[in-house]
PDB file of all heavy atoms in Angstrom:
ATOM      1  N   ALA A   1      97.031  94.498  91.935  1.00 94.00           N
ATOM      2  CA  ALA A   1      95.772  94.712  91.228  1.00 94.00           C
ATOM      3  C   ALA A   1      95.203  96.096  91.538  1.00 94.00           C
ATOM      4  O   ALA A   1      94.710  96.782  90.635  1.00 94.00           O
ATOM      5  CB  ALA A   1      94.763  93.628  91.617  1.00 94.00           C
ATOM      6  N   ALA A   2      95.286  96.504  92.805  1.00 95.00           N
ATOM      7  CA  ALA A   2      94.771  97.815  93.191  1.00 95.00           C
ATOM      8  C   ALA A   2      95.511  98.919  92.457  1.00 95.00           C
ATOM      9  O   ALA A   2      94.899  99.863  91.931  1.00 95.00           O
ATOM     10  CB  ALA A   2      94.891  97.997  94.703  1.00 95.00           C
ATOM     11  N   ALA A   3      96.840  98.824  92.395  1.00 95.00           N
ATOM     12  CA  ALA A   3      97.636  99.851  91.731  1.00 95.00           C
ATOM     13  C   ALA A   3      97.325  99.894  90.233  1.00 95.00           C
ATOM     14  O   ALA A   3      97.177 100.980  89.651  1.00 95.00           O
ATOM     15  CB  ALA A   3      99.122  99.590  91.964  1.00 95.00           C
ATOM     16  N   GLN A   4      97.227  98.733  89.604  1.00 95.00           N
ATOM     17  CA  GLN A   4      96.963  98.695  88.169  1.00 95.00           C
ATOM     18  C   GLN A   4      95.581  99.264  87.843  1.00 95.00           C
ATOM     19  O   GLN A   4      95.413 100.011  86.865  1.00 95.00           O
ATOM     20  CB  GLN A   4      97.086  97.262  87.647  1.00 95.00           C
ATOM     21  CG  GLN A   4      98.499  96.699  87.682  1.00 95.00           C
ATOM     22  CD  GLN A   4      99.453  97.481  86.807  1.00 95.00           C
ATOM     23  OE1 GLN A   4      99.094  97.960  85.731  1.00 95.00           O
ATOM     24  NE2 GLN A   4     100.693  97.633  87.278  1.00 95.00           N
ATOM     25  N   ARG A   5      94.587  98.937  88.641  1.00 95.00           N
ATOM     26  CA  ARG A   5      93.235  99.459  88.392  1.00 95.00           C
ATOM     27  C   ARG A   5      93.185 100.965  88.603  1.00 95.00           C
ATOM     28  O   ARG A   5      92.519 101.685  87.855  1.00 95.00           O
ATOM     29  CB  ARG A   5      92.230  98.747  89.294  1.00 95.00           C
ATOM     30  CG  ARG A   5      92.040  97.288  88.922  1.00 95.00           C
ATOM     31  CD  ARG A   5      91.218  96.514  89.934  1.00 95.00           C
ATOM     32  NE  ARG A   5      91.299  95.087  89.666  1.00 95.00           N
ATOM     33  CZ  ARG A   5      90.731  94.142  90.402  1.00 95.00           C
ATOM     34  NH1 ARG A   5      89.997  94.486  91.464  1.00 95.00           N
ATOM     35  NH2 ARG A   5      90.871  92.867  90.081  1.00 95.00           N
ATOM     36  N   LEU A   6      93.894 101.427  89.613  1.00 96.00           N
ATOM     37  CA  LEU A   6      93.938 102.866  89.839  1.00 96.00           C
ATOM     38  C   LEU A   6      94.667 103.563  88.691  1.00 96.00           C
ATOM     39  O   LEU A   6      94.272 104.651  88.268  1.00 96.00           O
ATOM     40  CB  LEU A   6      94.643 103.159  91.167  1.00 96.00           C
ATOM     41  CG  LEU A   6      94.430 104.544  91.760  1.00 96.00           C
ATOM     42  CD1 LEU A   6      92.957 104.764  92.095  1.00 96.00           C
ATOM     43  CD2 LEU A   6      95.282 104.717  93.015  1.00 96.00           C
ATOM     44  N   GLY A   7      95.721 102.918  88.180  1.00 95.00           N
ATOM     45  CA  GLY A   7      96.434 103.483  87.046  1.00 95.00           C
ATOM     46  C   GLY A   7      95.560 103.569  85.806  1.00 95.00           C
ATOM     47  O   GLY A   7      95.608 104.562  85.055  1.00 95.00           O
ATOM     48  N   GLU A   8      94.752 102.543  85.552  1.00 95.00           N
ATOM     49  CA  GLU A   8      93.844 102.559  84.412  1.00 95.00           C
ATOM     50  C   GLU A   8      92.831 103.696  84.543  1.00 95.00           C
ATOM     51  O   GLU A   8      92.520 104.393  83.569  1.00 95.00           O
ATOM     52  CB  GLU A   8      93.124 101.219  84.299  1.00 95.00           C
ATOM     53  CG  GLU A   8      94.025 100.057  83.890  1.00 95.00           C
ATOM     54  CD  GLU A   8      93.322  98.723  83.968  1.00 95.00           C
ATOM     55  OE1 GLU A   8      92.093  98.725  84.209  1.00 95.00           O
ATOM     56  OE2 GLU A   8      93.981  97.683  83.785  1.00 95.00           O
ATOM     57  N   LEU A   9      92.309 103.885  85.752  1.00 94.00           N
ATOM     58  CA  LEU A   9      91.386 104.987  85.982  1.00 94.00           C
ATOM     59  C   LEU A   9      92.078 106.318  85.722  1.00 94.00           C
ATOM     60  O   LEU A   9      91.515 107.213  85.072  1.00 94.00           O
ATOM     61  CB  LEU A   9      90.862 104.939  87.421  1.00 94.00           C
ATOM     62  CG  LEU A   9      89.991 106.120  87.858  1.00 94.00           C
ATOM     63  CD1 LEU A   9      88.686 106.138  87.081  1.00 94.00           C
ATOM     64  CD2 LEU A   9      89.733 106.067  89.365  1.00 94.00           C
ATOM     65  N   ALA A  10      93.302 106.458  86.224  1.00 93.00           N
ATOM     66  CA  ALA A  10      94.041 107.706  86.051  1.00 93.00           C
ATOM     67  C   ALA A  10      94.248 108.037  84.575  1.00 93.00           C
ATOM     68  O   ALA A  10      94.077 109.183  84.148  1.00 93.00           O
ATOM     69  CB  ALA A  10      95.383 107.612  86.770  1.00 93.00           C
ATOM     70  N   ARG A  11      94.610 107.034  83.780  1.00 91.00           N
ATOM     71  CA  ARG A  11      94.802 107.272  82.344  1.00 91.00           C
ATOM     72  C   ARG A  11      93.515 107.766  81.700  1.00 91.00           C
ATOM     73  O   ARG A  11      93.532 108.652  80.843  1.00 91.00           O
ATOM     74  CB  ARG A  11      95.267 105.987  81.653  1.00 91.00           C
ATOM     75  CG  ARG A  11      96.681 105.559  82.008  1.00 91.00           C
ATOM     76  CD  ARG A  11      97.153 104.398  81.135  1.00 91.00           C
ATOM     77  NE  ARG A  11      98.402 103.849  81.640  1.00 91.00           N
ATOM     78  CZ  ARG A  11      98.499 102.824  82.461  1.00 91.00           C
ATOM     79  NH1 ARG A  11      97.383 102.211  82.875  1.00 91.00           N
ATOM     80  NH2 ARG A  11      99.670 102.392  82.878  1.00 91.00           N
ATOM     81  N   GLY A  12      92.400 107.165  82.094  1.00 89.00           N
ATOM     82  CA  GLY A  12      91.123 107.584  81.552  1.00 89.00           C
ATOM     83  C   GLY A  12      90.750 108.999  81.938  1.00 89.00           C
ATOM     84  O   GLY A  12      89.907 109.624  81.280  1.00 89.00           O
ATOM     85  N   LEU A  13      91.373 109.517  82.980  1.00 87.00           N
ATOM     86  CA  LEU A  13      91.098 110.873  83.453  1.00 87.00           C
ATOM     87  C   LEU A  13      92.128 111.874  82.946  1.00 87.00           C
ATOM     88  O   LEU A  13      92.140 113.026  83.369  1.00 87.00           O
ATOM     89  CB  LEU A  13      91.075 110.894  84.983  1.00 87.00           C
ATOM     90  CG  LEU A  13      89.939 110.101  85.635  1.00 87.00           C
ATOM     91  CD1 LEU A  13      90.202 109.918  87.124  1.00 87.00           C
ATOM     92  CD2 LEU A  13      88.594 110.800  85.419  1.00 87.00           C
ATOM     93  N   GLY A  14      93.004 111.410  82.052  1.00 86.00           N
ATOM     94  CA  GLY A  14      93.999 112.310  81.492  1.00 86.00           C
ATOM     95  C   GLY A  14      95.254 112.462  82.325  1.00 86.00           C
ATOM     96  O   GLY A  14      96.062 113.359  82.075  1.00 86.00           O
ATOM     97  N   LEU A  15      95.454 111.593  83.325  1.00 90.00           N
ATOM     98  CA  LEU A  15      96.653 111.621  84.148  1.00 90.00           C
ATOM     99  C   LEU A  15      97.677 110.621  83.601  1.00 90.00           C
ATOM    100  O   LEU A  15      97.354 109.755  82.789  1.00 90.00           O
ATOM    101  CB  LEU A  15      96.309 111.280  85.600  1.00 90.00           C
ATOM    102  CG  LEU A  15      95.252 112.171  86.270  1.00 90.00           C
ATOM    103  CD1 LEU A  15      94.878 111.623  87.637  1.00 90.00           C
ATOM    104  CD2 LEU A  15      95.737 113.599  86.389  1.00 90.00           C
ATOM    105  N   GLU A  16      98.922 110.747  84.062  1.00 93.00           N
ATOM    106  CA  GLU A  16     100.008 109.877  83.598  1.00 93.00           C
ATOM    107  C   GLU A  16     100.538 109.081  84.790  1.00 93.00           C
ATOM    108  O   GLU A  16     101.410 109.548  85.518  1.00 93.00           O
ATOM    109  CB  GLU A  16     101.129 110.705  82.978  1.00 93.00           C
ATOM    110  CG  GLU A  16     100.690 111.562  81.799  1.00 93.00           C
ATOM    111  CD  GLU A  16     101.802 112.470  81.323  1.00 93.00           C
ATOM    112  OE1 GLU A  16     102.988 112.121  81.523  1.00 93.00           O
ATOM    113  OE2 GLU A  16     101.498 113.535  80.766  1.00 93.00           O
ATOM    114  N   PRO A  17     100.014 107.857  85.011  1.00 95.00           N
ATOM    115  CA  PRO A  17     100.436 107.087  86.183  1.00 95.00           C
ATOM    116  C   PRO A  17     101.797 106.433  86.008  1.00 95.00           C
ATOM    117  O   PRO A  17     102.179 106.025  84.917  1.00 95.00           O
ATOM    118  CB  PRO A  17      99.341 106.029  86.316  1.00 95.00           C
ATOM    119  CG  PRO A  17      98.884 105.812  84.906  1.00 95.00           C
ATOM    120  CD  PRO A  17      98.972 107.163  84.231  1.00 95.00           C
ATOM    121  N   SER A  18     102.538 106.343  87.100  1.00 96.00           N
ATOM    122  CA  SER A  18     103.753 105.541  87.167  1.00 96.00           C
ATOM    123  C   SER A  18     103.691 104.735  88.452  1.00 96.00           C
ATOM    124  O   SER A  18     102.972 105.089  89.393  1.00 96.00           O
ATOM    125  CB  SER A  18     105.011 106.423  87.133  1.00 96.00           C
ATOM    126  OG  SER A  18     105.054 107.277  88.265  1.00 96.00           O
ATOM    127  N   PHE A  19     104.456 103.650  88.496  1.00 96.00           N
ATOM    128  CA  PHE A  19     104.344 102.710  89.605  1.00 96.00           C
ATOM    129  C   PHE A  19     105.709 102.507  90.261  1.00 96.00           C
ATOM    130  O   PHE A  19     106.737 102.477  89.597  1.00 96.00           O
ATOM    131  CB  PHE A  19     103.798 101.376  89.101  1.00 96.00           C
ATOM    132  CG  PHE A  19     102.475 101.504  88.382  1.00 96.00           C
ATOM    133  CD1 PHE A  19     102.438 101.646  87.002  1.00 96.00           C
ATOM    134  CD2 PHE A  19     101.283 101.509  89.084  1.00 96.00           C
ATOM    135  CE1 PHE A  19     101.239 101.777  86.336  1.00 96.00           C
ATOM    136  CE2 PHE A  19     100.079 101.640  88.430  1.00 96.00           C
ATOM    137  CZ  PHE A  19     100.040 101.775  87.044  1.00 96.00           C
ATOM    138  N   GLU A  20     105.680 102.379  91.570  1.00 95.00           N
ATOM    139  CA  GLU A  20     106.909 102.147  92.327  1.00 95.00           C
ATOM    140  C   GLU A  20     106.576 101.332  93.568  1.00 95.00           C
ATOM    141  O   GLU A  20     105.402 101.085  93.859  1.00 95.00           O
ATOM    142  CB  GLU A  20     107.560 103.467  92.714  1.00 95.00           C
ATOM    143  CG  GLU A  20     106.697 104.335  93.625  1.00 95.00           C
ATOM    144  CD  GLU A  20     107.346 105.687  93.903  1.00 95.00           C
ATOM    145  OE1 GLU A  20     107.243 106.582  93.047  1.00 95.00           O
ATOM    146  OE2 GLU A  20     107.943 105.819  94.996  1.00 95.00           O
ATOM    147  N   HIS A  21     107.623 100.934  94.309  1.00 93.00           N
ATOM    148  CA  HIS A  21     107.424 100.143  95.514  1.00 93.00           C
ATOM    149  C   HIS A  21     107.941 100.883  96.744  1.00 93.00           C
ATOM    150  O   HIS A  21     108.951 101.585  96.681  1.00 93.00           O
ATOM    151  CB  HIS A  21     108.151  98.796  95.417  1.00 93.00           C
ATOM    152  CG  HIS A  21     107.569  97.864  94.403  1.00 93.00           C
ATOM    153  ND1 HIS A  21     106.241  97.481  94.433  1.00 93.00           N
ATOM    154  CD2 HIS A  21     108.125  97.239  93.341  1.00 93.00           C
ATOM    155  CE1 HIS A  21     106.004  96.664  93.423  1.00 93.00           C
ATOM    156  NE2 HIS A  21     107.125  96.499  92.747  1.00 93.00           N
ATOM    157  N   VAL A  22     107.217 100.716  97.836  1.00 93.00           N
ATOM    158  CA  VAL A  22     107.769 101.061  99.139  1.00 93.00           C
ATOM    159  C   VAL A  22     108.726  99.932  99.500  1.00 93.00           C
ATOM    160  O   VAL A  22     108.301  98.780  99.605  1.00 93.00           O
ATOM    161  CB  VAL A  22     106.659 101.170 100.207  1.00 93.00           C
ATOM    162  CG1 VAL A  22     107.269 101.528 101.570  1.00 93.00           C
ATOM    163  CG2 VAL A  22     105.613 102.187  99.795  1.00 93.00           C
ATOM    164  N   PRO A  23     110.024 100.193  99.661  1.00 91.00           N
ATOM    165  CA  PRO A  23     110.976  99.098  99.869  1.00 91.00           C
ATOM    166  C   PRO A  23     110.773  98.411 101.217  1.00 91.00           C
ATOM    167  O   PRO A  23     110.140  98.955 102.129  1.00 91.00           O
ATOM    168  CB  PRO A  23     112.336  99.801  99.812  1.00 91.00           C
ATOM    169  CG  PRO A  23     112.043 101.217 100.186  1.00 91.00           C
ATOM    170  CD  PRO A  23     110.680 101.511  99.655  1.00 91.00           C
ATOM    171  N   VAL A  24     111.294  97.199 101.323  1.00 88.00           N
ATOM    172  CA  VAL A  24     111.296  96.514 102.608  1.00 88.00           C
ATOM    173  C   VAL A  24     111.999  97.417 103.623  1.00 88.00           C
ATOM    174  O   VAL A  24     113.075  97.938 103.375  1.00 88.00           O
ATOM    175  CB  VAL A  24     112.025  95.159 102.497  1.00 88.00           C
ATOM    176  CG1 VAL A  24     112.166  94.521 103.877  1.00 88.00           C
ATOM    177  CG2 VAL A  24     111.283  94.228 101.549  1.00 88.00           C
ATOM    178  N   GLY A  25     111.371  97.633 104.762  1.00 89.00           N
ATOM    179  CA  GLY A  25     111.867  98.602 105.731  1.00 89.00           C
ATOM    180  C   GLY A  25     111.032  99.861 105.756  1.00 89.00           C
ATOM    181  O   GLY A  25     111.016 100.596 106.742  1.00 89.00           O
ATOM    182  N   GLY A  26     110.315 100.128 104.644  1.00 92.00           N
ATOM    183  CA  GLY A  26     109.324 101.198 104.627  1.00 92.00           C
ATOM    184  C   GLY A  26     109.831 102.593 104.370  1.00 92.00           C
ATOM    185  O   GLY A  26     109.081 103.562 104.486  1.00 92.00           O
ATOM    186  N   ASP A  27     111.097 102.757 103.998  1.00 94.00           N
ATOM    187  CA  ASP A  27     111.654 104.093 103.784  1.00 94.00           C
ATOM    188  C   ASP A  27     111.240 104.613 102.409  1.00 94.00           C
ATOM    189  O   ASP A  27     111.646 104.077 101.386  1.00 94.00           O
ATOM    190  CB  ASP A  27     113.181 104.042 103.895  1.00 94.00           C
ATOM    191  CG  ASP A  27     113.809 105.430 103.875  1.00 94.00           C
ATOM    192  OD1 ASP A  27     113.081 106.402 104.115  1.00 94.00           O
ATOM    193  OD2 ASP A  27     115.021 105.531 103.598  1.00 94.00           O
ATOM    194  N   ILE A  28     110.438 105.654 102.364  1.00 96.00           N
ATOM    195  CA  ILE A  28     109.955 106.225 101.110  1.00 96.00           C
ATOM    196  C   ILE A  28     109.842 107.730 101.250  1.00 96.00           C
ATOM    197  O   ILE A  28     109.475 108.247 102.318  1.00 96.00           O
ATOM    198  CB  ILE A  28     108.587 105.623 100.709  1.00 96.00           C
ATOM    199  CG1 ILE A  28     108.093 106.225  99.375  1.00 96.00           C
ATOM    200  CG2 ILE A  28     107.550 105.780 101.812  1.00 96.00           C
ATOM    201  CD1 ILE A  28     106.824 105.587  98.847  1.00 96.00           C
ATOM    202  N   ASP A  29     110.162 108.449 100.186  1.00 97.00           N
ATOM    203  CA  ASP A  29     110.045 109.905 100.166  1.00 97.00           C
ATOM    204  C   ASP A  29     108.585 110.271  99.923  1.00 97.00           C
ATOM    205  O   ASP A  29     108.055 110.041  98.831  1.00 97.00           O
ATOM    206  CB  ASP A  29     110.938 110.482  99.065  1.00 97.00           C
ATOM    207  CG  ASP A  29     110.811 112.004  98.951  1.00 97.00           C
ATOM    208  OD1 ASP A  29     110.265 112.631  99.883  1.00 97.00           O
ATOM    209  OD2 ASP A  29     111.254 112.552  97.918  1.00 97.00           O
ATOM    210  N   LEU A  30     107.941 110.829 100.927  1.00 97.00           N
ATOM    211  CA  LEU A  30     106.532 111.203 100.824  1.00 97.00           C
ATOM    212  C   LEU A  30     106.343 112.672 100.473  1.00 97.00           C
ATOM    213  O   LEU A  30     105.205 113.117 100.306  1.00 97.00           O
ATOM    214  CB  LEU A  30     105.814 110.899 102.145  1.00 97.00           C
ATOM    215  CG  LEU A  30     105.843 109.439 102.601  1.00 97.00           C
ATOM    216  CD1 LEU A  30     105.154 109.291 103.950  1.00 97.00           C
ATOM    217  CD2 LEU A  30     105.200 108.527 101.565  1.00 97.00           C
ATOM    218  N   ASN A  31     107.425 113.410 100.359  1.00 98.00           N
ATOM    219  CA  ASN A  31     107.345 114.854 100.090  1.00 98.00           C
ATOM    220  C   ASN A  31     107.387 115.127  98.594  1.00 98.00           C
ATOM    221  O   ASN A  31     108.280 115.795  98.072  1.00 98.00           O
ATOM    222  CB  ASN A  31     108.488 115.586 100.806  1.00 98.00           C
ATOM    223  CG  ASN A  31     108.348 115.495 102.311  1.00 98.00           C
ATOM    224  OD1 ASN A  31     107.245 115.588 102.842  1.00 98.00           O
ATOM    225  ND2 ASN A  31     109.456 115.286 103.000  1.00 98.00           N
ATOM    226  N   ARG A  32     106.380 114.568  97.886  1.00 95.00           N
ATOM    227  CA  ARG A  32     106.278 114.722  96.446  1.00 95.00           C
ATOM    228  C   ARG A  32     104.830 114.999  96.065  1.00 95.00           C
ATOM    229  O   ARG A  32     103.914 114.507  96.722  1.00 95.00           O
ATOM    230  CB  ARG A  32     106.747 113.445  95.736  1.00 95.00           C
ATOM    231  CG  ARG A  32     108.221 113.138  95.900  1.00 95.00           C
ATOM    232  CD  ARG A  32     108.548 111.816  95.236  1.00 95.00           C
ATOM    233  NE  ARG A  32     108.123 110.675  96.038  1.00 95.00           N
ATOM    234  CZ  ARG A  32     107.913 109.451  95.538  1.00 95.00           C
ATOM    235  NH1 ARG A  32     108.020 109.247  94.241  1.00 95.00           N
ATOM    236  NH2 ARG A  32     107.573 108.459  96.335  1.00 95.00           N
ATOM    237  N   PRO A  33     104.604 115.761  95.009  1.00 95.00           N
ATOM    238  CA  PRO A  33     103.221 116.010  94.582  1.00 95.00           C
ATOM    239  C   PRO A  33     102.629 114.797  93.895  1.00 95.00           C
ATOM    240  O   PRO A  33     103.347 113.937  93.375  1.00 95.00           O
ATOM    241  CB  PRO A  33     103.362 117.189  93.611  1.00 95.00           C
ATOM    242  CG  PRO A  33     104.741 117.030  93.043  1.00 95.00           C
ATOM    243  CD  PRO A  33     105.578 116.496  94.185  1.00 95.00           C
ATOM    244  N   ASN A  34     101.302 114.721  93.913  1.00 95.00           N
ATOM    245  CA  ASN A  34     100.558 113.713  93.147  1.00 95.00           C
ATOM    246  C   ASN A  34     101.018 112.299  93.479  1.00 95.00           C
ATOM    247  O   ASN A  34     101.324 111.499  92.594  1.00 95.00           O
ATOM    248  CB  ASN A  34     100.695 113.981  91.649  1.00 95.00           C
ATOM    249  CG  ASN A  34     100.302 115.399  91.276  1.00 95.00           C
ATOM    250  OD1 ASN A  34      99.258 115.886  91.693  1.00 95.00           O
ATOM    251  ND2 ASN A  34     101.147 116.071  90.525  1.00 95.00           N
ATOM    252  N   LEU A  35     101.035 111.987  94.768  1.00 97.00           N
ATOM    253  CA  LEU A  35     101.496 110.680  95.243  1.00 97.00           C
ATOM    254  C   LEU A  35     100.344 109.938  95.909  1.00 97.00           C
ATOM    255  O   LEU A  35      99.634 110.499  96.752  1.00 97.00           O
ATOM    256  CB  LEU A  35     102.637 110.860  96.239  1.00 97.00           C
ATOM    257  CG  LEU A  35     103.211 109.589  96.894  1.00 97.00           C
ATOM    258  CD1 LEU A  35     103.844 108.685  95.842  1.00 97.00           C
ATOM    259  CD2 LEU A  35     104.233 109.968  97.963  1.00 97.00           C
ATOM    260  N   VAL A  36     100.162 108.675  95.515  1.00 98.00           N
ATOM    261  CA  VAL A  36      99.198 107.781  96.148  1.00 98.00           C
ATOM    262  C   VAL A  36      99.977 106.612  96.725  1.00 98.00           C
ATOM    263  O   VAL A  36     100.724 105.944  96.004  1.00 98.00           O
ATOM    264  CB  VAL A  36      98.145 107.272  95.151  1.00 98.00           C
ATOM    265  CG1 VAL A  36      97.197 106.284  95.838  1.00 98.00           C
ATOM    266  CG2 VAL A  36      97.362 108.429  94.544  1.00 98.00           C
ATOM    267  N   VAL A  37      99.817 106.346  98.019  1.00 97.00           N
ATOM    268  CA  VAL A  37     100.549 105.276  98.684  1.00 97.00           C
ATOM    269  C   VAL A  37      99.555 104.247  99.217  1.00 97.00           C
ATOM    270  O   VAL A  37      98.671 104.591 100.013  1.00 97.00           O
ATOM    271  CB  VAL A  37     101.425 105.815  99.836  1.00 97.00           C
ATOM    272  CG1 VAL A  37     102.188 104.676 100.489  1.00 97.00           C
ATOM    273  CG2 VAL A  37     102.396 106.863  99.321  1.00 97.00           C
ATOM    274  N   ILE A  38      99.690 103.006  98.749  1.00 96.00           N
ATOM    275  CA  ILE A  38      98.828 101.913  99.228  1.00 96.00           C
ATOM    276  C   ILE A  38      99.635 101.167 100.283  1.00 96.00           C
ATOM    277  O   ILE A  38     100.319 100.178  99.998  1.00 96.00           O
ATOM    278  CB  ILE A  38      98.421 100.996  98.065  1.00 96.00           C
ATOM    279  CG1 ILE A  38      97.806 101.810  96.922  1.00 96.00           C
ATOM    280  CG2 ILE A  38      97.435  99.931  98.546  1.00 96.00           C
ATOM    281  CD1 ILE A  38      97.517 100.994  95.668  1.00 96.00           C
ATOM    282  N   CYS A  39      99.570 101.630 101.505  1.00 95.00           N
ATOM    283  CA  CYS A  39     100.459 101.107 102.544  1.00 95.00           C
ATOM    284  C   CYS A  39      99.938 101.510 103.909  1.00 95.00           C
ATOM    285  O   CYS A  39      99.316 102.567 104.054  1.00 95.00           O
ATOM    286  CB  CYS A  39     101.877 101.659 102.327  1.00 95.00           C
ATOM    287  SG  CYS A  39     103.125 101.044 103.478  1.00 95.00           S
ATOM    288  N   GLY A  40     100.201 100.664 104.914  1.00 94.00           N
ATOM    289  CA  GLY A  40      99.755 100.942 106.262  1.00 94.00           C
ATOM    290  C   GLY A  40     100.893 101.150 107.229  1.00 94.00           C
ATOM    291  O   GLY A  40     102.073 101.095 106.857  1.00 94.00           O
TER     292      GLY A  40
END
């Protein structure tokens, strides 16, 4: 729900949201522009 609501806000601001998952184990490439991570 958090990701979808943030995506809706982004579209309204003229941004192009896409969605992905941090895989089990937590390995994710963080060296990318315009990245929002909902994770601890």
Side-chain angles (χ1 to χ4, degrees):
Q4 292 298 324
R5 291 171 191 177
L6 197 63
E8 291 172 7
L9 174 66
R11 290 188 190 94
L13 294 167
L15 303 173
E16 301 174 26
S18 63
F19 304 94
E20 62 184 81
H21 292 304
V22 180
V24 173
D27 188 18
I28 181 174
D29 177 15
L30 301 177
N31 294 320
R32 294 176 283 159
N34 306 312
L35 177 64
V36 177
V37 181
I38 307 174
C39 183

